Amino acid sequence: MSDQFDVVVIGAGPAGYVAAIKAAQLGLKAACIEKWVDTSGKQKLGGTCLNVGCIPSKALLESSEQFAKAKHEFADHGISTTEVSMDVAAMMARKNKIVNNLTTGVAGLFKGNGVTSIEGMGRILSPTQVEVKNHKGELSTVDAKNIIIATGSVPIEIPPTPLAEGVIVDSEGALAFESVPKRLGVIGAGVIGLELGSVWARLGSEVVVLEAQDKFLASADQRIAKEAFKSFTKQKLDIRLGARVTGSDVKGQEVVVKYQDKEGDKEITFDKLIVCVGRRPYTKDLIAPGVDVKLDERGFVYVDDQCRTTIPNIYAVGDVVRGPMLAHKGSEEGIMVAELIAGKKAKMNYETIPNVIYTHPEIAWVGKTEEELKAEGVAYKAGSFPFAAVGRAMAANDTTGLVKILADAETDRILGMHVFGLHASELIAQGVIAMEFASSAEDLALTCFAHPTLSEAVHEAALAVENHAIHMVNRKK
Ligand code: FAD
Ligand code: AMP
């Protein structure tokens, strides 16, 4: 006898587990199937994000940041320390504890909300039946009125640099180094490459980032990207643009990486190499032959703007579908789909998904970049304000960067906000909320912001859209 559910979710990452909880909260009988188990066979919930992505990377970024502060900044505050050292094992144990707290927390949330958690690999046999093979190889089936695919993504491997135990690793391996590598190579100056490169650079690695594209952070606003590039270079992140990796040669405990740039063929030797060239949707063994869930040309599950696949009662959310590979994007899609299944009206605003890069300082943005507005022929106004003129940033010893706001030239509606600076990941929420509420730049300019805060840069950037910033003499126009 198989169990029957209103909703069966396949994958317990931030897209899937949130969808399952929301469905249960809306009164639906929900189950979530997850294949990830630890070495003892215990199921691990939370997907890439909680286990080997967002959370462990942020834990290590925080530890390495504290270390770098103690080493390089305490003296500015008049604090003297004896030798500052890093116990990598203790740092990793702290990270693992945070991961464990959160993943067991998801299990608790499932229990508390009445979601049935099923361990095993899910395979869609028909639009209403999912087969589950657990880690012992035992098979069972569940009946589903609706199925939500939330199987996520995995790192892309490239032929020039096949993974090699302990020497060439992907992002997961880079979150578990046992010591600080002396010479560290990173392929790809995307979000993950910059974050992981930052962690180990702060701890003392000589980091070289090889990036095939000539443009740094091509999808970010280019003024922000330029400021960030300057700042990262000062921090001794050696980012080589236009450098395409073509081969590698593992020799004992080191790797010789071959790459091409505009000067020709080059070689560089590292103790460890992290391959961060992007992620691809994961649909391996997911769909049985004869089930007409279509994939797009890049292997993503094809969905419409409400995450419906080509079969009416099968939905797909998160990294396995088009759009930015971000945990919060997947979670929002999960909530939308649960609401649709429960018979509610639901729609997602893909225009207001924030992007964050947790470097130091952080980079965050929402909406359009100046380059996109130009390309689309949209008439716009821009206002920006540097943290160098913000008292709170000075008090924090962290005055790098700026806030930039873009608004429609005619209606003044905010079209984008871009931040490079301390706590940009938190500040960007102000832009997201403003855009979600269809605010004008003037709405933000007329708002009272607490003093002294970093948020005052948001206020001043909004004022600067009409050339009215208070703490800036050298006005544009
Ligand atoms: P996943 O989290 O990948 O979860 C999918 C789950 O499905 C997995 O647990 C998998 O085991 C399971 N599964 C797959 N197939 C099956 C099957 N057939 N049966 C059963 N289970 C199955 N995003 C951010 O927003 N902020 C960040 O700061 C951030 N940092 C990151 C740092 C790193 C190093 C990495 C690698 C990623 C980071 N991301 C970040 C991206 C984020 O992790 C993903 O966008 C997010 O995890 C996607 O969620 P998901 O639920 O779609 O998929
Ligand atoms: P993201 O997609 O944001 O994770 O970034 C991955 C980055 O890796 C992109 O900027 C790619 O240009 C870069 N990349 C992909 N393949 C190579 C390669 N062979 N050599 C160097 N960089 C690469």
Side-chain angles (χ1 to χ4, degrees), residues 178-361:
E178 287 171 2
S179 59
V180 181
K182 185 167 180 323
R183 298 163 301 175
L184 175 66
V186 178
I187 311 181
V191 179
I192 297 175
L194 289 174
E195 291 185 3
L196 294 174
S198 297
V199 167
W200 296 105
R202 290 172 194 167
L203 297 179
S205 295
E206 293 156 17
V207 177
V208 177
V209 184
L210 301 170
E211 167 56 56
Q213 290 194 46
D214 293 321
K215 212 183 231 183
F216 183 55
L217 292 178
S219 58
D221 188 277
Q222 283 304 293
R223 171 148 179 225
I224 300 283
K226 283 196 180 87
E227 295 273 339
F229 188 82
K230 260 196 291 176
S231 167
F232 299 159
T233 306
K234 264 199 226 150
Q235 295 169 39
K236 304 227 163 35
L237 266 184
D238 178 355
I239 304 168
R240 301 187 188 174
L241 300 175
R244 175 168 293 281
V245 173
T246 53
S248 63
D249 207 351
V250 176
K251 293 180 177 162
Q253 284 309 297
E254 56 181 37
V255 54
V256 179
V257 174
K258 298 178 180 104
Y259 68 96
Q260 285 173 341
D261 64 13
K262 57 181 182 311
E263 291 162 2
D265 291 338
K266 294 193 175 157
E267 280 189 4
I268 182 165
T269 304
F270 299 115
D271 301 304
K272 293 214 190 284
L273 178 68
I274 315 174
V275 184
C276 296
V277 294
R279 298 177 63 82
R280 60 178 172 81
Y282 183 77
T283 53
K284 190 165 178 273
D285 299 331
L286 176 69
I287 301 158
V291 181
D292 197 23
V293 172
K294 291 216 162 46
L295 306 186
D296 70 15
E297 65 287 351
R298 295 184 302 154
F300 290 92
V301 175
Y302 172 81
V303 285
D304 67 10
D305 62 356
Q306 287 179 308
C307 291
R308 290 189 182 85
T309 69
T310 38
I311 295 187
N313 66 321
I314 303 185
Y315 299 78
V317 294
D319 280 11
V320 79
V321 304
R322 84 288 172 262
M325 286 186 167
L326 292 168
H328 43 281
K329 173 260 191 187
S331 299
E332 287 303 310
E333 287 178 334
I335 289 171
M336 170 179 71
V337 165
E339 287 177 338
L340 289 172
I341 292 172
K344 292 180 176 294
K345 287 203 173 87
K347 194 144 174 48
M348 232 185 102
N349 184 359
Y350 284 92
E351 302 298 312
T352 54
I353 298 171
N355 289 274
V356 180
I357 309 178
Y358 295 82
T359 42
H360 187 92

Side-chain angles (χ1 to χ4, degrees), residues 32-206:
C32 186
I33 304 169
E34 172 57 57
K35 67 177 171 56
W36 206 330
V37 289
D38 66 16
T39 44
S40 69
K42 187 171 165 259
Q43 192 187 31
K44 293 175 82 174
L45 302 175
T48 303
C49 170
L50 265 49
N51 290 288
V52 293
C54 322
I55 296 301
S57 60
K58 264 79 258 177
L60 297 187
L61 279 159
E62 193 61 40
S63 297
S64 58
E65 171 107 18
Q66 302 283 355
F67 175 77
K69 276 208 166 110
K71 223 171 154 76
H72 307 297
E73 281 188 39
F74 275 14
D76 290 346
H77 295 273
I79 305 169
S80 55
T81 50
T82 48
E83 187 60 25
V84 177
S85 62
M86 170 53 83
D87 176 347
V88 174
M91 175 178 78
M92 291 297 173
R94 174 185 170 277
K95 173 207 75 174
N96 293 340
K97 197 171 158 199
I98 296 166
V99 167
N100 193 45
N101 278 347
L102 286 168
T103 52
T104 50
V106 175
L109 288 172
F110 274 179
K111 219 170 158 196
N113 283 286
V115 174
T116 302
S117 186
I118 302 172
E119 182 263 301
M121 172 87 189
R123 184 163 173 263
I124 301 173
L125 293 182
S126 78
T128 54
Q129 254 201 340
V130 182
E131 175 193 77
V132 184
K133 187 184 200 176
N134 71 15
H135 74 282
K136 294 177 190 151
E138 296 158 349
L139 289 176
S140 60
T141 51
V142 283
D143 289 336
K145 288 188 190 150
N146 298 278
I147 297 170
I148 304 177
I149 299 171
T151 50
S153 63
V154 289
I156 293 176
E157 285 186 43
I158 49 173
T161 53
L163 300 191
E165 176 85 45
V167 183
I168 305 182
V169 300
D170 59 16
S171 56
E172 183 174 347
L175 293 168
F177 287 161
E178 287 171 2
S179 59
V180 181
K182 185 167 180 323
R183 298 163 301 175
L184 175 66
V186 178
I187 311 181
V191 179
I192 297 175
L194 289 174
E195 291 185 3
L196 294 174
S198 297
V199 167
W200 296 105
R202 290 172 194 167
L203 297 179
S205 295
E206 293 156 17

